[in-house]
Amino acid sequence: MNLKEMVGIEAAGYVKDGMVVGLGTGSTAYYMIEELGRRVKEENLSIIGVPTSYASKKQAEALGIPVRTIDEVEAVDLTIDGADEISSDNHGIKGGGAALLFEKIVATYSKKVLWIVDESKMVDTLGAFPLPVEVIPYGSQQVLRLFEKQGYRPVLRLDEDGTPVKTDCHNYIIDLHLDTIADPEALAVTLDSTVGVVEHGLFLNMVHTIIIGKSNGPAVNHVRP
Ligand code: 5RP
C-alpha cells in the first residue's frame, strides 16, 4: 500500500454515520473516496458527500455515495482533502489539481477540516510548490503582467495541447513560482484584493487535523479542536 492510500483509508475511518462529508480532490483524496464507497456498500454507512470537483463527484456517484452541492446542505460536518504543501505552522498550499476554488468554499463551510498527505508534502516554509491562483479569463494577461511586476514569477498553466487549463468554473490558473513565502497572510491579503483573481491556493488557519503518511504508519497532528 502506498502512503497516499494509507492516509486515505485512515481518514475515511473518521467518517461517522449520518455525516455530511466534503470530498476533496486529487490522487490522495481518491483513495479516501474509494474507501468511503466501500464502507457505504459493505458497512451500510449512510453519508452525504459534497464533492469539491466534477472528478470527485463522478467518482463518488460511481461508488454509490449520495452527493449534494454545497448549497444543498445546511453545513458540512467534515471535509477530507489532500494538500500540495503544509508548513510547520500548519498553513497549506492547495490547487495543484486546479480545484482550489470549490475546495476552499467547501472547507470554509465545514465544521472540521482534515488534510491527508504523504510526508513529502510537509515543509518548514511554503513556496517551493508554485502557488496556484484562479483568475477570470477576461483580463488574465493584465493580471499576469501585474504579477510579473510584483516579482511573483507567474506562469499561466497550460494543457498538453498548449491551451490554458480551465477549472471546473471555466477560469484559468496562474502558478506563482515564489520559492519561499515569508509572509503568507500578507500575500493572501494582496491576492484577495487583486481584481481578476477569483481565489488563491493559500489555505491559512483552516485545518483541524492532519494525517501524514510515513513509512512506519500514519501520524496524526491535531492542530485545533
Ligand atoms: C487539488 C488539490 C489537491 O488536494 C492537491 O493538489 C494534492 O493532490 P494529490 O493528493 O494528488 O497530491 O489541491 O486542487
Side-chain angles (χ1 to χ4, degrees), residues 4 25-29 81-84 94-100 103 116 121:
K4 291 184 175 191
T25 297
S27 56
T28 317
D81 203 350
D84 296 302
K94 288 182 49 53
L100 66 101
E103 289 174 338
I116 45 177
K121 308 286 186 71

Side-chain angles (χ1 to χ4, degrees), residues 99-154:
L100 66 101
L101 178 57
F102 286 4
E103 289 174 338
K104 197 178 270 191
I105 292 171
V106 172
T108 298
Y109 297 104
S110 295
K111 293 174 192 163
K112 292 274 155 73
V113 174
L114 168 52
W115 283 345
I116 45 177
V117 290
D118 64 63
E119 56 191 344
S120 71
K121 308 286 186 71
M122 304 304 293
V123 298
D124 283 338
T125 310
L126 299 177
F129 190 92
L131 176 67
V133 180
E134 182 156 345
V135 299
I136 297 272
Y138 185 84
S140 56
Q141 286 305 313
Q142 298 296 343
V143 176
L144 203 69
R145 266 177 232 148
L146 178 68
F147 285 164
E148 261 157 22
K149 273 192 214 132
Q150 285 165 322
Y152 293 166
R153 296 165 64 207

Side-chain angles (χ1 to χ4, degrees), residues 21-95:
V21 185
L23 304 173
T25 297
S27 56
T28 317
Y30 168 86
Y31 290 112
M32 175 273 298
I33 297 171
E34 286 294 304
E35 175 64 5
L36 286 180
R38 187 199 65 74
R39 290 189 60 198
V40 165
K41 210 165 284 169
E42 294 175 15
E43 298 172 12
N44 253 338
L45 178 75
S46 169
I47 56 169
I48 302 282
V50 177
T52 54
S53 62
Y54 292 125
S56 296
K57 177 175 186 275
K58 220 170 119 188
Q59 184 191 358
E61 282 175 339
L63 292 164
I65 301 172
V67 296
R68 301 275 186 282
T69 70
I70 189 69
D71 288 317
E72 292 170 333
V73 296
E74 188 90 0
V76 177
D77 294 301
L78 172 68
T79 285
I80 306 174
D81 203 350
D84 296 302
E85 262 187 359
I86 302 177
S87 60
S88 51
D89 52 359
N90 306 305
H91 297 318
I93 286 183
K94 288 182 49 53

